[in-house]
Amino acid sequence: MVRAAVLPAVGSPLEITDIDLPEPGPGQVRVRLAAAGVCHSDLSLTNGTMRVPVPAVLGHEGAGTVVAVGEGVTSVAPGAEVVLNWAPSCGSCHPCSLGEVWLCVNALNGAASVYARTADGAELHPGLNVAAFAEETVVAENCLIPLPEGIPLTEAALLGCAVLTGYGAIHHSARVRAGETVAVFGAGGVGLATLQAARIAGAGQIIAVDVSPEKEELARRAGATDYVVASETTAKDIRRLTGGHGTDVAVECVGRAVTIRTAWESTRRGGRTTVVGIGGKDQQVTFNALEIFHWGRTLAGCVYGNCDPAADLPVLADHIRSGRLDLTSMVSERITLDGIPAAFDTMLAGKGGRALVVF
């Protein structure tokens, strides 16, 4: 039995309770969690914006130590430190055949499986494949990436979603070049990672935008050269800061129609907007045909940072070891499992960076 955060049904509060976690079967690995990040995607699962089978153990951004392996597992052994990969690619579907592993159509198939049971025997699903909001979890072998040497295991949890997403948004989707101007909308966990990635890419001016004035210090530590408190004049404020032109690139990390539209309007003619935030179906973004032609801007979606985690994690590890990427500065709160509901409330209020569940 291990303690875990269980979502009994969409719209229901999380229950912190004991679950019966079996030993790993063929091709499976049991991991003792060191830490798990509290991501907005977890909140989106609780309210139905994103749907997975329930009841489920949530949590998808985590790192830990292998404690047992099932038959046929060859890539890791007990004692190995690993990062959880919540969206493993199958390698055989059409997107995978094109090298677009972040769009794998089979990536979330594991979320429908039954991986554990409640104390009274009810079936439990593994959230976004990996069920990181638990003291231990059992995952498929391809849901693990060995942690490169020299990376603190606790902070490495952030590599499983926020950092890969923010880094990929800058380097793979927007393809920011040295000297370009960048605006980042939302200074939560993913936004802070995006700001750091923009700094690493050599962006000349990096403008952070958030509804909370209190996040300015966090944003500037991450690399922001300017800070704008979101308002009805945000696009004008950004153009004023950029000589009247707008930025070369905008990255939207919120997932709201008004923010996506504002990010697009904040870029220069020919600018590039990457949308990382996950919004609901009710969030409709509209453009007229003439402005699409006139401004020549591009708007692109971005899934998991358009990353190949196995290839990108060693690159990120090098940035961490060199001091270019600081994981600790992204963490605004360290909590226990019992603190996850309050961390959700903090996210809804637009406060803080990343809350980290430490086991």
Side-chain angles (χ1 to χ4, degrees), residues 131-291:
F133 287 167
E135 294 169 328
E136 296 187 9
T137 187
V138 172
V139 301
E141 181 180 10
N142 65 350
C143 286
L144 299 177
I145 305 171
L147 179 65
E149 293 184 3
I151 310 303
L153 182 60
T154 300
E155 285 75 15
L158 302 178
L159 295 171
C161 183
V163 176
L164 276 170
T165 300
Y167 171 83
I170 290 293
H171 290 269
H172 299 320
S173 179
R175 299 182 183 273
V176 172
R177 298 180 289 268
E180 288 193 311
T181 54
V182 177
V184 177
F185 287 73
V190 173
L192 293 173
T194 305
L195 289 167
Q196 291 205 58
R199 173 175 46 77
I200 291 170
Q205 184 178 19
I206 305 171
I207 304 169
V209 182
D210 199 276
V211 296
S212 172
E214 289 76 20
K215 288 188 181 181
E216 181 171 358
E217 183 180 349
L218 277 172
R220 288 189 180 275
R221 284 208 306 263
T225 59
D226 299 272
Y227 191 83
V228 173
V229 178
S231 70
E232 293 181 355
T233 64
T234 295
K236 291 181 180 179
D237 295 338
I238 290 175
R239 286 196 293 273
R240 176 178 51 79
L241 289 170
T242 54
H245 306 295
T247 58
D248 297 299
V249 169
V251 181
E252 200 273 358
C253 305
V254 181
R256 295 182 62 232
V258 64
T259 316
I260 295 170
R261 174 75 202 201
T262 302
W264 186 81
E265 290 178 354
S266 298
T267 62
R268 64 170 175 82
R269 198 173 187 187
R272 315 185 301 279
T273 298
T274 286
V275 178
V276 172
I278 301 173
K281 294 180 180 179
D282 60 325
Q283 296 291 312
Q284 299 292 316
V285 188
T286 60
F287 306 90
N288 68 58
L290 181 60
E291 64 182 339

Side-chain angles (χ1 to χ4, degrees), residues 3-7 12-17 33 35-46 56-61 131-135 333-348 354-359:
R3 292 187 79 231
V6 176
L7 177 67
S12 298
L14 287 182
E15 298 177 357
I16 313 301
T17 185
L33 272 297
V38 182
C39 178
H40 205 281
S41 296
D42 298 307
L43 183 60
S44 295
L45 294 174
T46 68
V57 173
L58 300 187
H60 64 283
E61 181 183 84
F133 287 167
E135 294 169 328
E333 186 179 18
R334 295 172 188 261
I335 61 175
T336 65
L337 276 174
D338 297 290
I340 295 175
F344 282 173
D345 291 338
T346 299
M347 277 196 295
L348 282 171
R354 202 50 137 207
L356 193 65
V357 181
V358 179
F359 295 93

Side-chain angles (χ1 to χ4, degrees), residues 282-304:
D282 60 325
Q283 296 291 312
Q284 299 292 316
V285 188
T286 60
F287 306 90
N288 68 58
L290 181 60
E291 64 182 339
I292 291 174
F293 161 78
H294 173 76
W295 289 104
R297 296 163 171 154
T298 59
L299 179 69
C302 181
V303 178
Y304 205 2

Side-chain angles (χ1 to χ4, degrees), residues 307-329:
C307 277
D308 178 349
D312 286 312
L313 199 61
V315 176
L316 290 170
D318 183 60
H319 287 311
I320 294 167
R321 287 190 292 259
S322 70
R324 292 185 295 269
L325 178 60
D326 181 9
L327 299 179
T328 302
S329 66

